[in-house]
Structures are given as structure tokens and as C-alpha cells.
Amino acid sequence: MTGIRLQAPAPGWAIDADVVVVGSGVAGLTAALRCTAAGLRTVVVTKARLDDGSTRWAQGGIAAALGEGDTPEQHLDDTLVAGAGLCDEEAVRLLVTEGPDAVRRLIDTGARFDTDAAGTIELTREGGHHRRRIAHAGGDATGAEISRALVGAVRDRAVRTIENALVLDLLTDAAGRTAGVTLHVMGEGQHDGVGAVHAPAVVLATGGMGQVFSATTNPAVSTGDGVALALRAGAEVSDLEFVQFHPTVLFLGPDAEGQQPLVSEAVRGEGAHLVDADGVRFMVGQHELAELAPRDIVAKGITRRMRETGARHMYLDARHFGPEMWASRFPTILAACRAHGIDPVTEPIPVAPAAHYASGGVRTDLHGRTTVPGLYACGEVACTGVHGANRLASNSLLEGLVFAERIADDIAASPARAGDPVPHPAPTVLPLLDPAARPRVQHVMTTGAGVLRSAASLAEAADALDAVHAEALAAAAAGPAPAGPDAGSAPGIGSVAGAGSAGSAPGKAAEPGTDSWETTNLLCVARVLVAAARRREETRGCHWREDRPDRDDAAWRRHLVVRLRPDRTLDVRPTDTQDFPPTDADAPREP
């Protein structure tokens, strides 16, 4: 344990449970339902409403070997190729072999996928897949349908939920084992203010960290809270440098910020073409699959063409679909485009890459156990080894589904008893980053650690983030915030502690609250991401170093594992091989 905590009031209320699941996407709700079915007292804590996470925004679908002639082995091969040599093959094999039955159980839960006249699930194709294996719902509303079914099941089974709640920090007992979480309910939940859920098992399913960039497909809640919490708790994270930028996001102008409309890869899967302003299909000849190459290759292809032509975006041309196909197959995308004054039936869609998915996260074993006893992670917040250096399209929903089931089974097989939560003997309480710093952090990350990276751009990003932090420490030193002690000694190189920022009044530190907690978490994950990206001196998967354009298997076919030290500096170390070392939880468990 690091002994590091967010600055926050002491919990004023508490409830008891066997399991607390943090997050309400496909991973979180699947874990909660399976734990509940096993007779475990389960509490779901979610940052907004139950259906407000990333899952409901997923357009393309869920990948599984469900079609005639397809096999898990073929799905495995495509996943390994996309992962650029860093996938954990055993984890991928579990994913693709357990995936089809997990999808069928999802259907039994109530999810309705699109079918043909004979009642067979319709399958489409996306980038990196050599077969049609993507099940979809509502044309391009797969995530919304999955979320609807799971939320309905959670409510039908009366699973206890706490909505509008931001989780702050992990609680531990005297032995250092997980004992629950602290959280803050934001006005409309069952409780007010900071409280706690006491439980011997905590499942992080908090989603991604796309909001660390200026433009992203992620919802506003995706601020890296789970990764930041895990780091403060002493857990290891890995592969955070591998951020997938979706190639085709609706371009809304050079100054557009926040969540941007996604134009699903399935549009290309159905035959849309990427073209420049002159109508040239620039992906032809760059890869055997052209527009359906893995996402990192397409994103790089678009970015290169933008640089060559001086354009701010490229185009996705699907006018040949016709109005009926657009309306039936892609109604959500059609409506989003038209809402922004673009009619894809009659004109090409302007697109550019934007931050989409974190392939790395909190490191787990094959049962979702992290390096902190009793703490689990699944979904986008986790690094299971499935995605390697670049996630294969539509494997994310499947990963959340499969590993959530494995986590629930592990918890049910060996129910733990935690002692009472105890305070750390000498906690380091972080002063908070002023919310005014958030756009500054996002701009730094987009400019220096976006699709195109180099030693120079990453060094500038690191310096800029250090400057935000230094200004924060000065503000905290000049005037401590109303609650909590000072931050203690200044951090060393690689520290991820945060405090007030530019935008703070001189001598005034930020006050505890949702915006300052989120911004502090964003600075944490931003600095870890940049530290890892600087360390990985090669181009691999979705990590593209312009100054190191080649893949270097001899030196870098290995992972970077990051841990936060008690003095708030980062321990960044490569693994010896492409295989992850065991987590502490990999040791044999007592019956």
C-alpha cells in the first residue's frame, strides 16, 4: 500500500456488503448479476446513472466466433495480429473460447441482437477481422441494447445500487487486504456526501480515461478514476501508453472538445471508403485489408494523409449505401451526422482520429485479480493481456463480459472475510488540482501524446504536466485547502500527485469536490501515460513514435509495469519477456 489518499472528508455513513462493483457497463453489471446469483450481497456503485457509461455508446457490436465456418482459433489469430506481439495468448484463448457461450448467456439475460428472417444472428465485419463475426443490435446501437438488458436485469433482481457516486479510495484492513471503498454521492443518490461501502471484494469496472485528451469518443465520466484509485492503493498498471485512437470520428471543427460522435468501423465493414478531398482511396496499397486494416494502421494512414495534404480531416464515403441501408443499418450514425449538418446519403462524412480506448490499465491475472489482495478489475479499466498493443475491433464488450464472469466465479468460489477498515498510520493526503487545469491537461496530452508522438513532443508534454503540478504545489503551500493536511514533501520525477493549478487564485488551493477529484485523477493518468510512452522507444500497435518508426522486438517485446511508490514517484519497469509476471493473487488460494 502507498498510504496515498485523495483529500476528502471522512466518511459520514457506511453500508456492508460481500462485494462492491464500481461501474455499470457490461463488465460491472455482468459481475454484479453473477455475484448476486451466487448469493453474495452485492452493491453496484456508479458515477452517473446505471446506463451512462461507455457501454451504451458502443456502436459496432460484440465479436465472437458465432458464424458458420468461423472458429475461436481464427478469432485468436486475428486478435494476436492486432495486438502486435504483446497479447497474452492464454488470456486471448480464454476470451475467444469462452466468448460465444458468454454472448449466449447475455442473450438469455434479455439482449436482443439483430437477426435475419430465419432467426439467425446477423454478423458483420470490422477492421482486423478476416471473417464476419460481429453481432450487432439496432443496426448500430449494440451498446445501448446490451446496457438496456443488463440494467433491466439488475433492477429485476433488486441488486442494490448507488448512482451518482464517485469512488475515491480503497479501504484496507490491518493485513493490507481490501476492505471496501470510500465514495462521494453527488446530490441525487441514496446518501449525501462522502461515505463508504465495506466489503472484502472490490471489482473495478470504471471504464476508460478518454477525457484525458481534448477530443474523444468517451463519455464525460471517463476520467481515469479506476486507474488512479488503483495506483494510490498500490496496484500495478501496465500498457497505459497504448491508447487506441479511433480512425473515423465525426470531425466537428479544429476547436471541438469533449465527447465526439463515433462513426463505427462497421460502416467500413459494410463497404464505405476512406478518401481525401480529391476522392482518392489512400488506404489502398497501404495494407492488404485497406480500410479494414487494424485501427492503428488506419489512424496512422489518415494522419499521414492529413499531413501530406495539409487537411484537418479526411472523408468516409458511403453514398453508395443509399437511403434505405443508412436508415436501417446505421440509424444512430445517420441521425448524429444530420444533427451536425451532414447528410451521409448525399455527401462524404468528414472524419479524423480521436482518443477511443485504453488497451492498458490495472494489471490482472486470468481471474481478474490485481496485485492488491481482494481488488479485481475488468473491462476497459483492466489490463488482462487480451489487447496487447492494440485492441481488435469489438473485442472490448466481449472482454468485459468474459472476465466479469471469471471474477464473479472466483469471488464465489473463495468468499473472503475482511477485517475492519483501518486508517493508514501515516497517510499522504493529496491536495487537489483546480478544475480550471483540466482543459490545459487535455491540450497538453492531445498535442504531445496523441496519435503522433516523439521524444521531443513527449518531453514537452512531461514538462507541461510538471508545470501544472508545480503550480499546484505552490498554491497548496500558500494556502491549504479547507479539509485535510498538506501534501507533505514535494514529489520526485514521475510523481503523479496533484493540487491546485493555473487558474487558482494565488494562495488558494482547490476544495474537495467532484470536479477537483476528477481533474486530479486525470493528471495522475496523464503523467503515467507520458512516462510509459517516453520509456517505450519504438513504434508498436497504437503507440507511434515518429522518431522511432520501427518495431523493435528484441528490446521492446515486453510490457511496462508501473507502480506508485509511497513517496509519490513512479516505478516504471519493463517485464523480462512478453509474458506478464504473476500477480500476488496468482499464488494458490486457501479453500
Side-chain angles (χ1 to χ4, degrees):
M1 301 298 294
T2 66
I4 300 173
R5 299 290 184 270
L6 281 175
Q7 180 181 315
W13 53 268
I15 59 176
D16 293 326
D18 298 317
V19 184
V20 55
V21 177
V22 187
S24 59
V26 62
L29 295 187
T30 298
L33 285 167
R34 203 166 176 100
C35 285
T36 299
L40 299 169
R41 294 175 302 159
T42 304
V43 174
V44 175
V45 176
T46 188
K47 194 172 175 181
R49 295 294 187 184
L50 280 180
D51 63 351
D52 278 346
S54 293
T55 291
R56 78 179 179 98
W57 296 100
Q59 293 175 348
I62 185 167
L66 298 167
E68 184 177 354
D70 197 5
T71 64
E73 197 69 27
Q74 294 176 69
H75 189 181
L76 179 142
D77 289 343
D78 286 344
T79 300
L80 295 180
V81 169
L86 281 188
C87 293
D88 181 314
E89 186 167 341
E90 186 178 0
V92 177
R93 194 170 296 280
L94 285 173
L95 178 82
V96 299
T97 55
E98 297 181 7
D101 283 343
V103 172
R104 295 182 184 102
R105 284 189 289 272
L106 181 61
I107 293 171
D108 291 340
T109 302
R112 298 188 292 264
F113 291 96
D114 295 341
T115 58
D116 59 22
T120 302
I121 294 176
E122 291 183 335
L123 301 173
T124 191
R125 187 177 163 204
E126 294 182 356
H129 293 271
H130 283 77
R131 282 190 174 272
R132 286 181 170 263
R133 65 168 64 96
I134 317 300
H136 51 84
D140 58 358
T142 309
E145 170 58 18
I146 291 173
S147 182
R148 179 205 63 77
L150 291 173
V151 169
V154 162
R155 288 176 174 154
D156 288 346
R157 291 158 178 76
V159 179
R160 186 167 189 175
T161 62
I162 304 175
E163 298 180 284
N164 303 298
L166 173 64
V167 169
L168 303 176
D169 280 305
L170 191 73
L171 294 170
T172 54
D173 63 17
R177 183 182 174 82
T178 294
V181 293
T182 57
L183 64 153
H184 177 259
V185 180
M186 299 175 281
E188 297 180 13
Q190 300 173 21
H191 306 276
D192 290 324
V194 174
V197 180
H198 296 163
V202 172
V203 181
L204 292 180
T206 53
M209 55 184 188
Q211 289 291 328
V212 78
F213 295 95
S214 296
T216 178
T217 63
N218 287 192
V221 295
S222 298
T223 51
D225 308 315
V227 170
L229 176 151
L231 281 164
R232 290 192 298 272
E236 293 180 350
V237 303
S238 188
D239 296 353
L240 225 60
E241 67 271 32
F242 296 118
V243 176
Q244 187 176 83
F245 290 80
H246 198 288
T248 53
V249 176
L250 184 62
F251 182 75
L252 301 180
D255 299 322
E257 296 181 347
Q259 186 178 8
Q260 314 287 303
L262 177 66
V263 182
S264 171
E265 195 150 349
V267 177
R268 282 174 280 138
E270 295 292 351
H273 301 144
L274 280 167
V275 298
D276 61 19
D278 295 324
V280 176
R281 286 183 63 189
F282 55 88
M283 285 304 300
V284 174
Q286 291 198 37
H287 190 276
E288 61 168 332
L289 296 176
E291 285 93 350
L292 284 177
R295 287 177 177 174
D296 62 303
I297 294 172
V298 179
K300 292 171 188 175
I302 291 173
T303 305
R304 284 195 189 104
R305 196 64 163 190
M306 288 164 58
R307 284 191 159 190
E308 291 169 0
T309 62
R312 294 185 181 273
H313 60 81
M314 291 289 107
Y315 293 93
L316 188 63
D317 191 351
R319 290 175 289 179
H320 54 286
F321 284 5
E324 291 185 5
M325 180 174 175
W326 265 111
S328 62
R329 181 67 179 87
F330 301 110
T332 306
I333 298 170
L334 178 64
C337 289
R338 286 177 170 170
H340 291 283
I342 300 155
D343 188 350
V345 176
T346 60
E347 59 185 317
I349 305 168
V351 294
H356 182 57
Y357 189 88
S359 292
V362 185
R363 189 167 78 82
T364 75
D365 66 7
L366 299 179
H367 297 278
R369 309 172 198 146
T370 74
T371 51
V372 174
L375 179 65
Y376 296 79
C378 56
E380 191 172 353
V381 71
C383 181
T384 63
V386 159
H387 303 309
N390 185 40
R391 175 179 67 92
L392 181 66
S394 288
N395 267 358
S396 53
L397 292 173
L398 189 71
E399 183 201 29
L401 195 62
V402 168
F403 282 86
E405 291 188 343
R406 295 183 69 82
I407 285 172
D409 292 348
D410 190 71
I411 295 172
S414 303
R417 292 184 179 179
D420 294 332
V422 296
H424 191 275
T428 300
V429 181
L430 297 182
L432 300 173
L433 202 68
D434 192 294
R438 181 167 174 165
R440 182 177 170 189
V441 171
Q442 292 169 326
H443 176 73
V444 166
M445 293 299 291
T446 296
T447 303
V451 177
L452 305 177
R453 302 169 179 176
S454 67
S457 77
L458 291 166
E460 290 176 5
D463 289 345
L465 295 175
D466 285 345
V468 173
H469 178 63
E471 293 164 7
L473 287 177
D486 188 60
S489 59
I493 295 172
S495 164
V496 296
S501 78
S504 300
K508 181 181 179 182
E511 297 184 6
T514 301
D515 290 344
S516 57
W517 287 320
E518 283 186 337
T519 307
T520 302
N521 286 338
L522 281 175
L523 180 64
C524 170
V525 296
R527 299 185 84 180
V528 175
L529 192 161
V530 169
R534 294 182 76 182
R535 185 73 175 269
R536 182 172 290 279
E537 296 180 332
E538 65 159 354
T539 288
R540 183 184 297 272
C542 50
H543 170 71
W544 185 15
R545 287 279 298 259
E546 295 178 277
D547 57 325
R548 302 279 185 169
D550 298 320
R551 173 172 154 176
D552 183 356
D553 279 351
W556 284 109
R557 193 178 177 194
R558 58 197 67 201
H559 303 271
L560 287 172
V561 174
V562 184
R563 183 176 56 86
L564 182 61
R565 299 187 183 101
D567 65 357
R568 299 177 299 171
T569 59
L570 290 180
D571 174 19
V572 184
R573 68 184 191 278
T575 58
D576 294 332
T577 69
Q578 71 267 25
D579 297 323
F580 277 125
T583 66
D584 293 340
D586 287 326
R589 309 187 78 192
E590 295 180 6

